[in-house]
Amino acid sequence: EKPVLFKQELQNEEAKEGKQVRLTCELSKPGTPVKWMKGDTVLHASEKYEIKQQGTVAELIIRDVKSVDA
């Protein structure tokens, strides 16, 4: 079985404090589970984080961005 690769790497995004930011990556194989992390911490869906995945595209939306989210 072929390894899963990034077709589109994660890009740096800028957002104003209090707004939201969307981080997107695209994988070579649809339905591959994606784990979003900040350092060693795994991020889970919550009021702060919205995690979406459709086909090969995975998205993380961070709401109410603060400087600690950098």
Side-chain angles (χ1 to χ4, degrees):
E1 193 171 314
K2 291 182 181 179
V4 177
L5 304 171
F6 285 105
K7 286 173 68 177
Q8 177 192 329
E9 298 267 341
L10 194 59
Q11 301 294 311
N12 286 330
E13 296 289 340
E14 289 187 22
K16 292 190 177 185
E17 210 163 302
K19 299 293 184 184
Q20 75 175 24
V21 67
R22 180 184 310 259
L23 302 173
T24 305
C25 65
E26 187 175 357
L27 306 166
S28 60
K29 183 178 176 184
T32 303
V34 172
K35 186 188 310 182
W36 290 95
M37 301 182 72
K38 181 177 190 283
D40 293 331
T41 305
V42 177
L43 304 178
H44 299 282
S46 64
E47 279 188 30
K48 177 82 172 169
Y49 304 112
E50 183 178 347
I51 297 170
K52 296 180 177 181
Q53 190 166 355
Q54 187 169 23
T56 58
V57 178
E59 289 183 327
L60 170 67
I61 298 167
I62 304 172
R63 296 185 184 98
D64 191 22
V65 173
K66 305 274 189 245
S67 58
V68 296
D69 295 317

